[in-house]
Amino acid sequence: MRKISTFIALFLFTANVLFSQGIDFKHISFNDALVQAKASDKLIFIDFYTEWCGPCKKLAAGPFKEEKNGAFFNKNFISLKLDAEKEGMEAAKRYGVIAFPTLIFVNGDGEIVHQSVGVEKGSDMIGFGNEALNASTSKYSWAKLQEMFPNKQNDESFLKLYYKKMEDFGADTDVSIGIDAWLKAQTEFKETSSEMMEFLLNKQSQIFLGTKAEEIFNKNYDHFIILANDRQKVALERFRQAVFLRTIANARKSQNPEMMRVVMERFQAYNLKSKSGDNLDTYKMDYYRFSKDYGSFKRLAEKYVDSLMNLKSLKDIKTEDEKSYKRYSKNKVEGQDKATDVMLQFYKEGMIANDLVESIEEAAHHYLDYLENKKETKNLEKWINYCYKLIPGKFSVDNLKADLLYRQGKIKEAIALKAIAVDKMPFTVKKKVNYQHELEVMKQKKQ
């Protein structure tokens, strides 16, 4: 009897430990989850993450481990964690996932019922789950709204409901599309009104270049400035630049050539500020790549990199970088903290040198993707050698050269150099785990 009691107590303890671990993410494929969801009439909860994503790790270590969240989700959903850059890549493409973490609920037919991007829903996972359960039976679930949207382009009230629901779902791209459609159909207020101005300012995080919203802003900017109070004037003055940078980020994530074409037009028309390393040539190269015009991309990349290499002499670059290092390193000692050590190393290598290497590498990595002949291979080797002259032994250049060696079939050499590059990468390299994964893929190829 005592043995039975001990066994029961041990079973209950073990069950409680497992239960208290939070959400039980199943180690099954997405297709298997769809089959289970269909059979059990449950929704699938998917956490799309990447290994380098900091917010993803916060969710995994916090809300996902809470006992109350585990009890609710394990009862109501089939839960999956999918690395969007590995085993979850196809599913991520299917649902247009371009930001992390993205949390999605789908039914057994694979239709999105509810979703959110970021960590905001982590503060109330049970509430988030209930939203999904309600949406699955609602007239206006995500999937149903998407189905209705193309046929409701002149329905002002539906379009307003659509973009508001998309805001609730955290579907930023769909919010932008919904706002644009509503603005084309709305009669709620005049485009020249203070209400329209305030609406645009409130929604600017969902506004991109080339939209109806931007058209209204550009057309009425001078008028809005007259209507605006001091706070609004500051926001209006910053609006175009903020939308410009947001559009660049979105165009690159989605690889949208039309969006990048508009970026180029606005960059020239309004003399907007680009981020470090960006200019008209880099936008054009992106446009050619996204348009799949790889020949034009490679021709421009060759001119662009050659212009960078001829910008200044190596001697002048070294002289200027030494001055910058002396200014930065004053009163700083190596070993105080990791962040300072990384910055000291950056300035020791050279601020100008690092900027040039980064710009060349960006073009070179894409150039490598479309390499076709010996002449192009020699171009890439020339760029790599120049980068080594700027910063001997730079880990990122080692990584680029390793990828070229791998492409040439020199797998053993590629593995050795990639391993050196990964080992030298500082903790600040956001996607270090991705490079480690590439190294493992190379090793498997060798076998």
Side-chain angles (χ1 to χ4, degrees):
M1 186 70 176
R2 179 178 293 178
K3 289 182 178 179
I4 295 173
S5 298
T6 303
F7 173 78
I8 292 172
L10 182 61
F11 173 80
L12 291 173
F13 171 77
T14 304
N16 184 60
V17 169
L18 291 172
F19 176 77
S20 65
Q21 288 178 344
I23 299 175
D24 178 21
F25 289 98
K26 304 298 183 183
H27 298 288
I28 58 176
S29 70
F30 176 61
N31 288 333
D32 286 342
L34 287 174
V35 173
Q36 289 189 20
K38 195 95 169 177
S40 60
D41 195 27
K42 285 186 175 182
L43 297 177
I44 303 170
F45 168 61
I46 308 174
D47 167 33
F48 283 108
Y49 73 99
T50 65
E51 289 188 29
W52 49 264
C53 167
C56 300
K57 293 174 183 176
K58 288 182 180 179
L59 280 179
F64 290 171
K65 286 188 176 294
E66 291 182 17
E67 183 176 331
K68 62 179 182 179
N69 294 337
F72 181 82
F73 272 70
N74 298 340
K75 177 183 177 182
N76 293 289
F77 309 112
I78 298 166
S79 299
L80 296 179
K81 285 180 73 69
L82 296 178
D83 188 327
E85 296 180 333
K86 295 179 184 176
E87 79 283 350
M89 185 179 294
E90 289 305 313
K93 287 180 180 177
R94 174 175 179 171
Y95 296 116
V97 174
I98 58 174
F100 309 103
T102 290
L103 309 177
I104 291 181
F105 293 89
V106 301
N107 60 25
D109 293 320
E111 299 172 331
I112 295 180
V113 171
H114 196 44
Q115 71 172 14
S116 181
V117 178
V119 298
E120 181 183 351
K121 295 296 184 179
S123 61
D124 184 12
M125 289 296 296
I126 293 174
F128 181 41
N130 275 320
E131 288 174 6
L133 293 173
N134 292 334
S136 66
T137 57
S138 169
K139 176 183 177 183
Y140 295 117
S141 69
W142 191 94
K144 290 172 184 174
L145 284 166
Q146 293 283 44
E147 183 181 341
M148 296 168 70
F149 180 71
N151 299 317
K152 294 280 190 176
Q153 295 300 295
N154 296 316
D155 188 334
E156 181 179 349
S157 59
F158 171 82
L159 293 172
K160 189 168 187 177
L161 171 71
Y162 178 85
Y163 83 70
K164 285 183 175 292
K165 283 285 186 181
M166 291 300 122
E167 285 178 330
D168 293 339
F169 295 155
D172 288 342
T173 301
D174 293 299
V175 174
S176 176
I177 293 170
I179 287 174
D180 218 46
W182 178 75
L183 284 171
K184 291 173 183 176
Q186 71 88 27
T187 58
E188 191 171 326
F189 38 71
K190 293 181 179 180
E191 291 185 0
T192 56
S193 66
S194 59
E195 290 86 358
M196 175 61 82
M197 174 183 67
E198 193 62 30
F199 176 84
L200 294 177
L201 292 177
N202 288 338
K203 300 297 182 184
Q204 71 168 287
S205 61
Q206 283 97 26
I207 292 173
F208 298 106
L209 300 178
T211 59
K212 180 66 176 178
E214 191 223 1
E215 177 190 319
I216 294 171
F217 176 85
N218 288 338
K219 185 178 178 180
N220 297 287
Y221 176 78
D222 292 338
H223 181 65
F224 288 159
I225 285 289
I226 296 171
L227 294 177
N229 57 35
D230 290 343
R231 175 190 64 82
Q232 291 169 329
K233 282 180 181 177
V234 173
L236 286 168
E237 289 165 357
R238 295 175 178 174
F239 183 95
R240 189 175 283 128
Q241 179 69 33
V243 171
F244 173 70
L245 295 176
R246 193 177 302 112
T247 304
I248 294 170
N250 190 272
R252 285 173 171 163
K253 280 182 180 178
S254 59
Q255 298 197 353
N256 185 324
E258 178 57 27
M259 194 171 272
M260 190 53 71
R261 182 189 63 77
V262 178
V263 164
M264 292 188 293
E265 290 178 356
R266 301 298 188 273
F267 179 67
Q268 293 174 290
Y270 295 109
N271 195 29
L272 296 167
K273 294 179 181 178
S274 57
K275 287 188 175 180
S276 177
D278 271 345
N279 55 40
L280 187 59
D281 281 341
T282 61
Y283 301 143
K284 281 183 179 178
M285 284 190 287
D286 285 336
Y287 172 75
Y288 289 140
R289 285 193 303 112
F290 303 159
S291 302
K292 303 188 186 311
D293 184 355
Y294 304 129
S296 295
F297 161 74
K298 286 188 286 188
R299 286 192 294 273
L300 180 55
E302 288 161 6
K303 291 179 181 178
Y304 171 70
V305 175
D306 283 346
S307 70
L308 293 177
M309 291 168 60
N310 293 317
L311 200 61
K312 293 182 179 181
S313 71
L314 290 170
K315 183 179 179 181
D316 287 343
I317 292 170
K318 185 176 180 180
T319 300
E320 290 182 42
D321 278 341
E322 284 176 349
K323 291 178 181 177
S324 296
Y325 174 69
K326 286 181 180 179
R327 286 195 298 270
Y328 180 80
S329 62
K330 190 176 181 180
N331 300 323
K332 291 182 177 67
V333 180
E334 286 189 23
Q336 287 182 326
D337 60 78
K338 289 184 178 180
T340 301
D341 286 350
V342 168
M343 289 306 297
L344 280 170
Q345 179 63 24
F346 174 85
Y347 276 94
K348 187 179 290 185
E349 291 173 343
M351 185 174 68
I352 297 173
N354 264 297
D355 287 346
L356 281 171
V357 166
E358 183 179 347
S359 296
I360 294 171
E361 284 174 348
E362 179 71 20
H365 273 292
H366 295 307
Y367 192 85
L368 175 60
D369 290 337
Y370 316 120
L371 215 58
E372 290 183 310
N373 53 53
K374 289 182 179 180
K375 182 182 177 182
E376 291 174 356
T377 300
K378 286 184 177 180
N379 285 334
L380 198 52
E381 289 172 342
K382 180 178 71 173
W383 301 348
I384 290 171
N385 290 334
Y386 178 76
C387 288
Y388 276 136
K389 289 178 182 178
L390 286 169
I391 310 175
K394 180 69 175 178
F395 69 86
S396 56
V397 184
D398 287 343
N399 182 66
L400 173 61
K401 186 174 181 178
D403 290 341
L404 174 59
L405 291 169
Y406 185 75
R407 177 72 177 266
Q408 293 172 315
K410 301 174 182 178
I411 298 174
K412 186 176 179 180
E413 294 174 57
I415 290 171
L417 193 55
K418 176 79 78 169
I420 291 170
V422 170
D423 186 57
K424 289 192 291 187
M425 285 179 187
F427 72 96
T428 51
V429 176
K430 190 177 180 181
K431 294 189 178 183
K432 184 172 182 176
V433 291
N434 291 34
Y435 299 121
Q436 291 170 329
H437 176 67
E438 290 173 3
L439 178 59
E440 292 307 313
V441 170
M442 285 182 178
K443 289 178 179 178
Q444 291 170 13
K445 178 73 172 180
K446 182 186 175 185
Q447 294 171 359

